[in-house]
Amino acid sequence: MDLLLPHIVNGLTLGLLFAMIALGFTLIVGVMEIINLAHGSLFALGAYFAMAWIGGDWFGASEFGIWWASLPVGMRYASALIFGPLCAAAAGMVLELCVRRTYGKAPLYGLLLTFGAALVIEELIRISWGTGEQSLTVPQLINGAFLAGGMIFSKYKFFAAGFAALSIVCVWLFLEKTPYGAIIKAGSHDSEMVRALGYDLSRLRLLVFGLGAALAGLAGVVMAPIWGLRPHIGVDVIIPAFLIIVLGGVGSFWGAVIAAALVGLAVGITGAYAPAWSMLSMYLLLIAVVTFRARGLMGRKSALEN
Amino acid sequence: MSNSKITRRGLLGGAAVGGVATFAGPWKHNRVWAQSTDKPIRIGITSDASGQYANSGASDRRGMLMAIEEANARGGALGRKIEFMHIDTETTPATGSRVAERLISREECGFLIGAVSSGVANAVSQVAQRYGVIYMNTNSSSPTESGQNCHRVKFVWDGNGTNFSKAAVRNAISTYGEKVVLLTNDYVWGHDTAKSTRALVDQHGGTVVEEILIPQGTRDFSAALLKIQQINPDIVAAAVGGDDQIAMRQQVAQLGMGSKPAWINNQQDWPDVYGLPLDNLFGVFGTTWYYGLDLPGVKEFVDRYQAMYPDTSMRVPGNVFYNGYMATRELLNAIERADSTNNIAVIKQLEGHVMSAEERMQHHVAVIDPNTHQVQQTIYLATANDEPRDENDMFRILTQSDPNDVRDEGSLEACKLESYEDTPAFDA
């Protein structure tokens, strides 16, 4: 058990990070019933903008740039946690303005459009920041490792998991306790009824897409120091995100969180004891669940089960 | 005196018979172009532009293009211009096969160049052998590429896992201890490199206490690193490549595990680590070339690179670029020496070809082994440079090994090249 415990802790930490990635994805799928294949690219975009922000790339050797570079890394990193998601949100909203032409049409149109957007964003990243590996600087305080029970853990990974947990709670509170949250939830159940009640459906969709993209961008900023940054990092993200929302039940907030924790545990534990199966374990988990429960862990009952 | 007269009808008939005989005769030619033509020599580039080795693939390609541009500036090869066609092999063997097939049969490429992934290189070489098209495997380094998967048409330019292990394992065991954990990327290059390392560890009195497999595409190494910490080995021998390796390096550095245990990374491709912080460059690793080598020609080579690629984020050429450049240059030289683009003639020029240390910008003479088609060359061991001259100067070269000291005998035993007769003739 002593040997297993660190891997359980590691798996749950990983699960929280996966949940953070999947939340924005599930929000957009839930409200707009669009699978946003550009979600991973928005994740990458948030991370790259944060990296440029922390490094002061745009300010160069100007007076402001010199002053900016003299600020403590912690301050620049903290502000990047806002700046990165804001940029991703802006990109997400632009994407929604394009995607809205596909509402009411066959789902394939939305899929194709978001897939195309993913390719465009990846190329823009390549053009702007090059193809090479980049790293995102983090404050010394949360860098390095600590020992617990004789085992070594990454400080930053625990910080990231804590931050992910906090973000999950904030999003949940927003959805549960605010009028906007209530409208979003209503929109995910019956968007036409929301429109009939006099709410501007277009604005709601724009807001949700922006929020989903901001969450993707935030996950990107938090994950970048762990995974590193490369233009196609979005591809690494989109598959687990998609798998998690299907496993949890499409549109279910807590379903996504629980599914992410399970995926994290599966990957973490198999990574230690059967590493060749660690990537495969998440797919096996999905197959096992949907075989017996097609709607996913907490999904709504569908025609498949009638 | 004959009164025969060449008529227009006779001339056309003769030409028709000649044409049919040329293309339908008992020869095994896949395609015949007239010699002394001004038709360009077309090279198919099979490097990855996406997937795990996209970054290295781009560097590989830049090396080839510089060699092609230099050749064209000299008037091409055999007076023919060199053209190229690139299709992304996506770091996927199945795509590699399709790309090779298309480059040969539809794009009329007479030579293929490029690989980083050994799985892709193997797939490409099988198609190339079927057509008899010469294929330069520039940068993939599984021992199987010049061992059991060798082919008469394929030439391997990078050092392989065994070469790098031979250079590193004995020193590591005598310096750090005998308890070794293998960290192995779960595909052909990782497995074959780990197999070589295991044999060398046994040979030098070490013990492999665990082998941890790392599936391709792994981004979180925590489980493996916790396991390593539980085992507490003296040495970790890692055969993890591409993006996986980058993620691994960042996470090892974050945990402060870079100095203990000792890390041997069989090979280190420059594009994988370029721009990473110093503490990410832990361990000892192998390479075939470094721009900081104090050898004749290196500075000029770097200058030419910088003139051709002024906007590339990598400001100096790395080992992947070097291999891409050398393979292309030597192919074009071989065509010139053969005075032909006939595949068998060019293959014979490449087999056993000796390259001086000066032209290779290495410490020892290199030779293309005629039995395995792998370039036997100087292998360097390097580590992080804690006193860099500038931001590019990331490596410190520790040792250099004579090619004969790090020869992969296993490849020599495993490689069974097809005979010349069993290799279809091909003329570009």
Side-chain angles (χ1 to χ4, degrees), chain A residues 29 35 40 85-86 101 104 231 240 261 273:
Chain A
V29 174
I35 295 169
L86 278 180
R101 292 168 180 275
Y273 296 101

Side-chain angles (χ1 to χ4, degrees), chain B residues 104-421:
Chain B
I104 297 168
S105 60
R106 288 178 55 187
E107 306 297 340
E108 299 185 345
C109 292
F111 301 92
L112 299 182
I113 308 183
V116 181
S117 159
S118 296
V120 174
N122 181 29
V124 170
S125 66
Q126 288 180 35
V127 177
Q129 180 66 33
R130 207 165 59 235
Y131 284 90
V133 168
I134 292 174
Y135 168 50
M136 297 290 189
N137 171 352
T138 45
N139 271 290
S140 98
S141 46
S142 167
T144 47
E145 273 303 281
S146 52
Q148 69 193 62
N149 296 332
C150 69
H151 289 293
R152 181 63 72 178
V153 298
K154 175 164 65 179
F155 292 85
V156 181
W157 288 80
D158 201 0
N160 72 24
T162 304
N163 301 145
F164 293 118
S165 293
K166 273 194 161 180
V169 168
R170 187 175 56 190
N171 276 348
I173 289 176
S174 60
T175 310
Y176 301 109
E178 60 182 37
K179 212 162 95 176
V180 180
V181 164
L182 301 177
L183 205 57
T184 306
N185 236 171
D186 196 2
Y187 79 106
V188 59
W189 167 72
H191 284 285
D192 291 321
T193 300
K195 194 174 153 196
S196 299
T197 308
R198 190 185 281 274
L200 288 163
V201 168
D202 290 344
Q203 189 186 327
H204 295 296
T207 311
V208 174
V209 289
E210 181 84 43
E211 179 168 10
I212 302 174
L213 293 179
I214 304 296
Q216 274 192 291
T218 295
R219 290 293 164 269
D220 191 297
F221 282 77
S222 312
L225 298 178
L226 274 168
K227 196 86 191 289
I228 289 170
Q229 206 244 344
Q230 285 174 348
I231 297 167
N232 192 24
D234 300 310
I235 298 164
V236 178
V240 178
D243 291 346
D244 292 1
Q245 189 206 171
I246 299 166
M248 181 193 83
R249 282 193 170 279
Q250 287 174 333
Q251 289 164 42
V252 170
Q254 244 173 31
L255 289 173
M257 289 173 70
S259 53
K260 195 178 179 321
W263 289 73
I264 311 171
N265 300 280
N266 282 287
Q267 188 185 7
Q268 186 60 72
D269 284 337
W270 180 248
D272 286 350
V273 293
Y274 189 82
L276 288 182
L278 188 70
D279 65 352
N280 281 207
L281 292 178
F282 53 84
V284 170
F285 35 80
T287 185
T288 49
W289 190 77
Y290 183 57
Y291 90 101
L293 291 171
D294 186 18
L295 291 171
V298 172
K299 187 185 173 304
E300 292 76 7
F301 187 62
V302 174
D303 289 345
R304 296 205 305 274
Y305 172 90
Q306 289 176 340
M308 183 159 174
Y309 300 108
D311 301 321
T312 305
S313 57
M314 284 177 62
R315 294 310 311 129
V316 288
N319 65 311
V320 174
F321 176 94
Y322 167 84
N323 287 332
Y325 174 87
M326 283 292 169
T328 311
R329 191 183 76 175
E330 291 302 333
L331 170 69
L332 298 175
N333 286 347
I335 292 171
E336 290 279 7
R337 287 197 304 275
D339 195 23
S340 164
T341 49
N342 171 273
N343 62 339
I344 302 298
V346 178
I347 286 170
K348 285 181 175 172
Q349 287 300 322
L350 288 165
E351 287 175 340
H353 179 60
V354 177
M355 294 161 281
S356 71
E358 195 173 0
E359 60 186 314
R360 290 279 298 172
M361 294 178 286
Q362 290 178 324
H363 281 80
H364 299 276
V365 171
V367 61
I368 303 176
D369 191 314
N371 300 308
T372 63
H373 285 195
Q374 193 207 0
V375 176
Q376 304 300 313
Q377 60 188 302
T378 315
I379 298 291
Y380 297 93
L381 285 185
T383 190
N385 188 359
D386 47 12
E387 291 176 351
R389 291 170 295 173
D390 55 54
E391 60 180 4
N392 298 310
D393 193 17
M394 297 166 69
F395 291 1
R396 182 157 54 89
I397 298 294
L398 301 170
T399 61
Q400 74 243 9
S401 298
D402 186 294
N404 294 321
D405 295 339
V406 292
R407 183 178 286 274
D408 175 11
E409 306 294 349
S411 285
L412 202 55
E413 287 168 25
C415 172
K416 303 281 179 271
L417 292 173
E418 297 86 350
S419 66
Y420 296 125
E421 290 72 30

Side-chain angles (χ1 to χ4, degrees), chain A residues 5-246:
Chain A
L5 190 62
H7 297 295
I8 292 175
V9 174
N10 178 49
L12 286 172
T13 316
L14 185 61
L16 281 167
L17 298 173
F18 277 146
M20 195 176 181
I21 293 166
L23 270 189
F25 198 41
T26 197
L27 208 60
I28 292 170
V29 174
V31 176
M32 276 166 287
E33 295 179 352
I34 278 193
I35 295 169
N36 175 22
L37 293 178
H39 190 74
S41 304
L42 294 168
F43 169 98
L45 206 58
Y48 269 97
F49 272 112
M51 179 195 72
W53 178 259
I54 293 171
D57 293 4
W58 296 302
F59 313 133
S62 66
E63 203 169 304
F64 183 77
I66 293 165
W67 171 79
W68 178 256
S70 69
L71 290 178
V73 175
M75 199 178 286
R76 285 182 278 149
Y77 177 81
S79 58
L81 286 169
I82 299 165
F83 181 74
L86 278 180
C87 293
M93 287 164 123
V94 171
L95 179 58
E96 199 276 337
L97 292 175
C98 304
V99 168
R100 63 175 49 178
R101 292 168 180 275
T102 69
Y103 296 153
K105 293 182 180 165
L108 187 63
Y109 289 102
L111 276 177
L112 282 175
L113 199 144
T114 54
F115 179 65
L119 296 179
V120 169
I121 293 172
E122 190 177 318
E123 273 313 303
L124 287 176
I125 289 173
R126 229 183 275 277
I127 291 165
S128 306
W129 286 286
T131 57
E133 181 71 14
Q134 311 263 4
S135 56
L136 195 146
T137 314
V138 298
Q140 204 51 44
L141 184 68
I142 49 175
N143 209 357
F146 68 93
L147 285 168
M151 300 306 297
I152 195 164
F153 294 100
S154 156
K155 275 190 213 171
Y156 184 80
K157 200 167 169 195
F158 270 75
F159 161 79
F163 193 87
L166 185 68
S167 307
I168 292 164
V169 170
C170 288
V171 173
W172 180 77
L173 286 174
F174 171 74
L175 291 175
E176 289 296 317
K177 305 291 179 191
T178 65
Y180 266 120
I183 298 166
I184 289 171
K185 280 202 304 177
S188 72
H189 287 284
D190 191 339
S191 55
E192 289 311 313
M193 185 56 75
V194 168
R195 190 206 294 269
L197 288 171
Y199 290 102
D200 185 342
L201 199 56
S202 296
R203 209 164 65 184
L204 174 73
R205 284 171 166 162
L206 191 66
L207 173 76
V208 171
F209 220 106
L211 182 61
L215 286 169
L218 186 62
V221 183
V222 172
M223 291 297 289
I226 301 173
W227 283 2
L229 266 176
R230 60 202 77 90
H232 54 278
I233 194 172
V235 179
D236 299 335
V237 167
I238 196 74
I239 294 171
F242 186 64
L243 191 141
I244 285 164
I245 63 160
V246 175

Side-chain angles (χ1 to χ4, degrees), chain A residues 279-296:
Chain A
M279 297 294 282
L280 203 59
S281 63
M282 63 172 91
Y283 301 102
L284 295 177
L285 187 65
L286 178 70
I287 291 167
V289 170
V290 298
T291 301
F292 297 104
R293 198 175 163 85
R295 70 177 99 150

